[in-house]
Amino acid sequence: FCDENGTEREYIIPSRDFDIAQVLDTRDAVKLTIGGWKISVSGMLVKRDLYQKYINDNYSSEYNFGFVDEIDQRKLLLITDRIAFSDAKYYYRQQSQSIVHKVSRNFYAVLIAERLLFQFVEQNYKNDKEVYNKVCNNYLSQLLICQRLFVERKQNYTKEERSEIKGRIKVAFEFAKAKGMVTIGMKQKVSLLSYPIFVLVSYLYVFYLSLK
């Protein structure tokens, strides 16, 4: 990772002790992207015919939103035969005005990506408890983050944007409840009791942070 001036940061994927000489089975490779990216697929090299097949089989205008590449990358990994690594560097330049760093209404599309990722794991790793627990934790953590950010910044949004964001968060909450997602932390357990409690916990947490 590097900043807008090209200065390298300490955050590196994979870690310095990762064995890049290994060749991974695709299912094992995908597992290294769940619950945090242990390997990087930014700048990955894929055979053109394989990529074209993926586009033909999966493209949908319905999923034309920010963060959808995180789903595409994992699906693409899964349809390959094996994954190899290179010691070449790929510099991921962090833009301060990108969707990831600027919490506009578009940022909350991350909840759609999290839902699609959960469904991807549910379909392909149904019997892998470790992966399932990781994707649940990731989903719920992102949901809580989005709610907190909304509470902190809602005065920056228009009335229409606030309504849209609140609706997106509520849909994401109801999806988690319907799926009976497993939780680890106490805050997550309490937050999932009901939607009003979920909202209340976020307001209390933001208030607590304001006192620190």
Side-chain angles (χ1 to χ4, degrees), residues 5-212:
N5 298 316
T7 304
E8 289 186 44
R9 296 178 175 176
E10 282 301 307
Y11 188 33
I12 299 173
I13 304 175
S15 60
R16 296 185 187 279
D17 59 355
F18 185 83
D19 178 16
I20 64 170
Q22 63 182 309
V23 177
L24 293 180
D25 168 81
T26 55
R27 290 185 61 83
D28 291 336
V30 172
K31 287 168 67 171
L32 292 177
T33 73
I34 308 297
W37 296 85
K38 303 296 189 301
I39 60 174
S40 173
V41 292
S42 297
M44 66 179 174
L45 299 177
V46 184
K47 287 185 177 181
R48 179 178 178 142
D49 58 346
L50 184 67
Y51 194 78
Q52 189 62 55
K53 181 180 185 304
Y54 173 77
I55 293 174
N56 293 340
D57 293 344
N58 293 274
Y59 176 76
S60 170
S61 58
E62 178 184 357
Y63 296 134
N64 184 22
F65 62 90
F67 304 101
V68 73
D69 59 317
E70 295 197 2
I71 308 303
D72 287 333
Q73 290 166 349
R74 289 166 169 123
K75 286 183 175 181
L76 190 56
L77 282 178
L78 198 61
I79 65 171
T80 61
D81 293 324
R82 54 195 177 277
I83 309 297
F85 298 89
S86 167
D87 61 358
K89 286 185 178 181
Y90 178 96
Y91 289 90
Y92 185 5
R93 186 179 179 185
Q94 303 290 282
Q95 301 280 6
S96 59
Q97 295 302 309
S98 69
I99 289 178
V100 176
H101 297 95
K102 185 179 180 181
V103 189
S104 68
R105 68 193 296 181
N106 296 327
F107 173 83
Y108 298 90
V110 69
L111 295 173
I112 303 175
E114 292 297 333
R115 173 173 56 81
L116 293 174
L117 178 58
F118 177 87
Q119 291 171 329
F120 170 80
V121 168
E122 192 177 40
Q123 180 179 355
N124 296 285
Y125 294 88
K126 184 167 58 177
N127 298 320
D128 193 319
K129 187 176 180 180
E130 180 183 1
V131 176
Y132 178 79
N133 289 343
K134 282 182 178 180
V135 79
C136 285
N137 186 62
N138 199 73
Y139 183 101
L140 295 170
S141 295
Q142 195 62 254
L143 177 58
L144 287 166
I145 288 171
C146 284
Q147 175 64 17
R148 175 178 61 81
L149 289 173
F150 173 68
V151 171
E152 289 176 340
R153 306 176 186 223
K154 65 178 182 179
Q155 68 275 7
N156 299 331
Y157 305 127
T158 66
K159 183 178 180 180
E160 178 185 279
E161 288 174 334
R162 287 197 295 270
S163 178
E164 175 189 317
I165 294 167
K166 285 171 67 176
R168 183 165 284 176
I169 291 173
K170 187 173 183 180
V171 167
F173 174 87
E174 290 173 347
F175 179 81
K177 285 286 288 184
K179 289 295 183 178
M181 291 190 190
V182 298
T183 58
I184 299 174
M186 181 57 66
K187 185 171 71 172
Q188 289 182 344
K189 291 181 185 295
V190 173
S191 297
L192 280 181
L193 291 175
S194 71
Y195 185 68
I197 291 176
F198 169 75
V199 173
L200 177 62
V201 167
S202 68
Y203 274 91
L204 292 175
Y205 184 62
V206 170
F207 177 71
Y208 165 74
L209 292 177
S210 71
L211 298 177
K212 297 183 69 176

